[in-house]
Amino acid sequence: MKQENSKKYFEEACQYIPGGVNSPVRAFQSVHREAPIFAKKAKGAYLWDEDDNRYLDYICSWGPMILGHNPDFVLQGVQEAILSGSSFGLPTKKEVELAKLIVQSVPCIEKVRLTTSGTEATMSAVRLSRAYTKRNKIIKFEGCYHGHSDALLVKSGSGLLTQGFQDSNGIPQSVLQDTITIPFGNKEKTLEYLQTKEIACIIVEPIPANMGVIESQKDFLQFLREETQNYGSLLIFDEVISGFRVALGGAQEYFKITPDLCTLGKIIGGGYPVGAFGGKEEIMNLIAPLGQVYHAGTLSGNPISVRAGYETLSYLMQHKSSIYLDITKKTEFLVKEIEKLIQKYEIPAVVQSMPSLFTIFFSEKEKVTNLEDALSSNVDFFTIYFNTLLENGILAPPSQFEAHFISHAHSEDDLKKTLKVIELAFQKIHEVM
Ligand SMILES: *Cc1c(COP(=O)(O)O)cnc(C)c1O
């Protein structure tokens, strides 16, 4: 497969942009590629690179494209919105409509603020929890990613894991000392810290997907819900990935556990830059101009992004009974068939999934339940897997520690084609085992 243009652009990119990319996982470093592929366009389940190779896409922009790339109705809405101007620094009618859709859909959200990214949403939600509880310390779980703000960038999975380190440099000790990290699923440690009554909030990905997909235990989330209440801490679900994905109302609807606050992003922008945080009215009313917790943004609630989000969420709401069933079925089919292939070729691997998300961990473990388990994976096997797929026109996430995303646009034929290529990859892995 010819990738000359991508190589050429990457070489040039490296002269002007650190590492040639604006987000580290895009560099394809951990899968030993000379250069990443440079995207030219995408439509539905497919993406084309600058050498005009076509790929069946399982990155899906890392989550936003639940309906596939560039659906016509989103494109139309955005084209219409652009004609009226790009940004006003004033409120607009559509952002109220988007906020209303979010409040109607997500159980914990009585009021919501829009941001430009998921990072801003989690940063602000944590600030709000500190103001509300008048406490400083927060708990996060190892391998959960909540964006790249200082307080949350500790043992934070995602791109850091891919690059082979766990914590970022450049974060003051004074900030780190207020962030407590605990292995996902560890009740004893969590309880121990909650009992100090110094914890402002626990922030958690209710379905961890940034160390690969961890099939979440309802039981653990229920425990977090009850014990945060018992000790006066807030519970924040970071639903930037799971929101509007595993159900319209996200993981909180799926598991029927309602946090105090939650954060959204990815899907709610329909591929454009949006994030959001929301929750109980009593808490949200502490935000300025009502209260003294500051949150703002020149492009917060940007009309173009809001229109894309509005069209996406409206579509999801109108078709919710068919879409969520469809992506669940597709995921189950793919996972079941991959499991058969794993057995057939005796690959040391386990597939873990939630509706529309999955990871093949090349690990001897029966289940991967936390960061330590995830790190037991054989990344050399993953590299063979990734490169075999890429060379055969299938774009998997370029990291063992990320999720494959299945969209509504992925057809049955697409999935069958994928399985053929995965079989090829497993044959290669079997040969080197
Ligand atoms: C992607 C992600 C974020 C950060 O969102 P950005 O828009 O990339 O800043 C936060 N939390 C989770 C769970 C995410 O997956």
Side-chain angles (χ1 to χ4, degrees):
M1 187 174 279
K2 195 171 141 287
Q3 285 159 348
E4 296 317 307
N5 287 339
S6 284
K7 282 179 196 157
K8 189 178 77 190
Y9 294 135
F10 186 59
E11 216 169 277
E12 199 177 358
C14 288
Q15 292 176 40
Y16 304 108
I17 302 170
V21 291
N22 285 312
S23 202
V25 73
R26 294 180 197 167
F28 285 30
Q29 215 174 35
S30 73
V31 286
H32 305 293
R33 302 290 300 181
E34 220 178 300
I37 59 163
F38 271 58
K40 187 177 185 178
K41 61 170 188 179
K43 186 76 182 170
Y46 285 86
L47 181 145
W48 286 259
D49 70 9
E50 286 287 356
D51 293 279
D52 295 322
N53 299 307
R54 192 184 81 149
Y55 304 90
L56 178 57
D57 182 22
Y58 286 96
I59 295 179
C60 292
S61 183
W62 300 107
M65 295 359 237
I66 191 166
L67 296 169
H69 287 283
N70 215 4
D72 290 339
F73 53 90
V74 174
L75 180 62
Q76 246 166 35
V78 165
Q79 280 172 334
E80 201 181 285
I82 281 178
L83 294 177
S84 304
S86 57
S87 176
F88 311 115
L90 292 169
T92 61
K93 206 169 96 191
K94 250 328 181 246
E95 65 193 303
V96 186
E97 290 175 23
L98 178 59
K100 197 167 155 189
L101 289 187
I102 293 173
V103 170
Q104 283 169 350
S105 307
V106 183
C108 87
I109 300 188
E110 292 169 2
K111 281 192 174 174
V112 64
R113 262 291 170 90
L114 298 180
T115 63
T116 315
S117 67
T119 295
E120 290 165 80
T122 52
M123 180 181 78
S124 297
V126 166
R127 179 179 300 144
L128 187 56
S129 75
R130 284 173 160 158
Y132 182 78
T133 58
K134 301 189 175 69
R135 297 172 177 181
N136 287 335
K137 292 196 186 302
I138 64 171
I139 292 176
K140 77 174 284 291
F141 296 101
E142 293 173 1
C144 285
Y145 179 66
H146 305 294
H148 61 278
S149 70
D150 280 358
L152 294 169
L153 209 52
V154 190
K155 297 230 166 111
S156 48
S158 193
L160 291 90
L161 270 184
T162 305
Q163 302 308 122
F165 58 98
Q166 294 204 12
D167 298 329
S168 171
N169 287 345
I171 299 176
Q173 199 53 44
S174 56
V175 172
L176 293 184
Q177 74 193 19
D178 286 329
T179 301
I180 295 154
T181 55
I182 297 175
F184 186 81
N186 188 321
K187 291 182 182 173
E188 295 73 32
K189 280 232 167 78
T190 305
L191 198 56
E192 198 179 297
Y193 283 109
L194 282 174
Q195 283 167 344
T196 63
K197 298 196 176 175
E198 289 180 356
I199 307 298
C201 71
I202 293 182
I203 184 166
V204 61
E205 282 181 81
I207 296 168
N210 282 290
M211 49 182 144
V213 176
I214 305 295
E215 292 171 356
S216 199
Q217 308 97 331
K218 179 170 178 168
D219 165 60
F220 183 57
L221 297 175
Q222 188 67 48
F223 162 85
L224 295 180
R225 176 63 290 180
E226 283 163 17
E227 298 301 342
T228 45
Q229 250 155 5
N230 287 344
Y231 294 101
S233 308
L234 296 186
L235 180 62
I236 304 174
F237 276 5
D238 180 355
E239 299 231 41
V240 172
I241 283 187
S242 56
F244 291 90
R245 171 174 301 287
V246 295
L248 199 61
Q252 51 195 284
E253 179 186 325
Y254 188 88
F255 292 118
K256 299 190 175 60
I257 296 171
T258 308
D260 300 297
L261 295 170
C262 89
T263 54
L264 298 165
K266 298 190 170 122
I267 288 176
I268 65 158
Y272 291 76
V274 186
F277 64 104
K280 291 202 177 104
E281 182 166 8
E282 178 200 357
I283 307 172
M284 292 300 288
N285 282 351
L286 295 182
I287 298 170
L290 295 178
Q292 290 191 15
V293 179
Y294 199 66
H295 160 258
T298 304
L299 295 179
S300 286
N302 171 264
I304 313 302
S305 299
V306 160
R307 185 61 184 264
Y310 176 81
E311 298 299 340
T312 303
L313 297 197
S314 302
Y315 190 91
L316 286 172
M317 279 177 99
Q318 278 159 24
H319 301 88
K320 72 171 177 183
S321 48
S322 58
I323 288 177
Y324 291 105
L325 195 65
D326 172 70
I327 52 179
T328 303
K329 274 192 182 156
K330 283 174 181 165
T331 312
E332 282 171 358
F333 168 74
L334 202 56
V335 166
K336 217 173 77 212
E337 294 300 316
I338 295 171
E339 279 169 349
K340 285 185 199 161
L341 293 173
I342 287 174
Q343 287 198 343
K344 181 171 172 191
Y345 293 95
E346 298 170 328
I347 306 291
V350 54
V351 199
Q352 299 196 166
S353 69
M354 293 298 290
S356 83
L357 287 168
F358 73 94
T359 297
I360 307 174
F361 287 102
F362 290 94
S363 166
E364 309 266 0
K365 304 239 176 221
E366 240 165 73
K367 276 268 159 233
V368 171
T369 60
N370 58 26
L371 181 62
E372 197 188 329
D373 291 352
L375 289 171
S376 74
S377 304
N378 184 323
V379 287
D380 293 334
F381 289 172
F382 181 83
T383 300
I384 297 173
Y385 165 84
F386 172 84
N387 284 299
T388 307
L389 266 64
L390 190 77
E391 292 300 329
N392 286 281
I394 295 176
L395 187 57
S399 165
Q400 170 69 91
F401 308 109
E402 300 280 3
H404 294 61
F405 291 88
I406 299 173
S407 81
H408 188 49
H410 286 70
S411 70
E412 238 170 79
D413 275 353
D414 289 334
L415 303 185
K416 286 180 184 155
K417 189 175 125 190
T418 306
L419 287 164
K420 286 216 174 89
V421 179
I422 290 181
E423 177 153 21
L424 202 64
F426 285 0
Q427 281 167 356
K428 285 192 192 174
I429 292 169
H430 186 79
E431 279 165 25
V432 300
M433 265 162 54

